[in-house]
């Protein structure tokens, strides 16, 4: 069976500031561009059977700069919709909700463009992505690559490992990195995490 490679997009101004960046389409910073370019050697001699990207430009640009051609935008790869917490840092949220956690408390609804999502709703999207890539991985004709966002990929990792979506809290994911989900003796495993070439 082939591996599932996860690429978190390069740094943005909002990720550098710790702001919750769901559907807001912010570009990569200069450092984010460098992070994405630094991934190119990792993919130079690899020929993935499938590349899916979030439709947001920070993910699409990361895929292109990393040399991942032929990426197909997939709306299920959008970042967690943070609702009323879009653009706000955890420190700001905790001024009024000191024990708040995205994983257990969720987000309040926002405007029409940011209605918000629960961990279960993000998990349902992750399950759909995993179902789409499963035949590619089973065919063992090349790896599949997903280029997306931190919280979404953490939820997807939890679901790949057959954990509840909120268990994504266990997997810190840095910008501009590659992580590898694989199998060992038929069981799902993490074979690499937060790798930079």
């Amino acid at each position: 069976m082939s591996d599932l490679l996860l690429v978190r997009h390069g740094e943005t101004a909002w990720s550098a500031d710790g702001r919750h960046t769901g559907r807001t389409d912010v570009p990569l910073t200069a450092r984010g561009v460098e992070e994405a370019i630094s991934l190119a050697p990792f993919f130079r001699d690899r020929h993935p059977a499938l590349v899916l990207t979030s439709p947001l430009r920070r993910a699409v640009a990361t895929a292109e700069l990393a040399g991942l051609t032929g990426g197909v935008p997939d709306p299920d790869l959008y970042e967690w919709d943070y609702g009323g917490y879009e653009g706000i840092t955890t420190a700001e949220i905790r001024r009024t909700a000191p024990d708040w956690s995205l994983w257990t408390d969720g987000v309040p609804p926002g405007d029409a463009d940011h209605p918000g999502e629960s961990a279960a709703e993000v998990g349902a999207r992750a399950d759909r992505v995993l179902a789409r890539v499963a035949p590619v991985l089973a065919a063992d004709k090349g790896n599949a690559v997903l280029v997306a966002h931190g919280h979404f990929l953490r939820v997807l990792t939890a679901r790949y490992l057959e954990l509840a979506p909120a268990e994504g809290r266990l997997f810190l994911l840095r910008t501009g990195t590659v992580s590898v989900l694989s199998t060992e003796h038929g069981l799902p495993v993490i074979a690499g995490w937060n790798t930079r070439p």
Side-chain angles (χ1 to χ4, degrees):
M1 187 161 154
S2 297
D3 291 335
L4 180 57
L5 308 180
L6 310 180
V7 178
R8 183 177 176 199
H9 63 75
E11 179 192 81
T12 68
W14 281 24
S15 68
D17 292 342
R19 295 168 72 182
H20 288 87
T21 318
R23 305 299 168 91
T24 303
D25 202 3
V26 296
L28 297 175
T29 61
R31 180 172 181 219
V33 168
E34 290 174 10
E35 288 176 338
I37 291 170
S38 77
L39 299 176
F42 183 87
F43 292 107
R44 184 170 296 125
D45 296 323
R46 289 175 169 84
H47 305 286
L50 177 68
V51 177
L52 299 176
T53 70
S54 161
L56 295 173
R57 62 182 164 169
R58 58 192 183 268
V60 173
T62 297
E64 292 170 354
L65 292 166
L68 292 163
T69 58
V72 178
D74 184 335
D76 277 334
L77 289 173
Y78 272 119
E79 178 60 296
W80 194 315
D81 183 338
Y82 298 118
Y85 287 159
E86 180 76 7
I88 300 174
T89 68
T90 297
E92 290 169 325
I93 295 165
R94 287 186 173 166
R95 288 183 192 140
T96 56
D99 297 323
W100 177 81
S101 166
L102 172 66
W103 303 101
T104 55
D105 301 316
V107 298
D111 60 23
D113 292 330
H114 306 94
E117 281 183 298
S118 67
E121 289 170 319
V122 179
R125 288 196 287 116
D127 288 346
R128 290 194 298 267
V129 172
L130 291 171
R132 275 195 287 287
V133 301
V136 174
L137 300 177
D140 206 21
K141 293 184 179 177
N143 298 323
V145 181
L146 306 178
V147 185
H149 312 277
H151 280 126
F152 176 80
L153 291 173
R154 291 169 69 177
V155 170
L156 183 132
T157 298
R159 297 304 301 137
Y160 181 85
L161 297 172
E162 301 173 1
L163 301 172
E167 296 307 305
R169 68 183 175 79
L170 300 171
F171 310 109
L172 177 66
L173 192 56
R174 307 261 184 229
T175 59
T177 58
V178 178
S179 298
V180 182
L181 303 181
S182 189
T183 57
E184 182 182 47
H185 307 300
L187 298 173
V189 297
I190 296 174
W193 197 256
N194 276 327
T195 302
R196 286 197 170 106

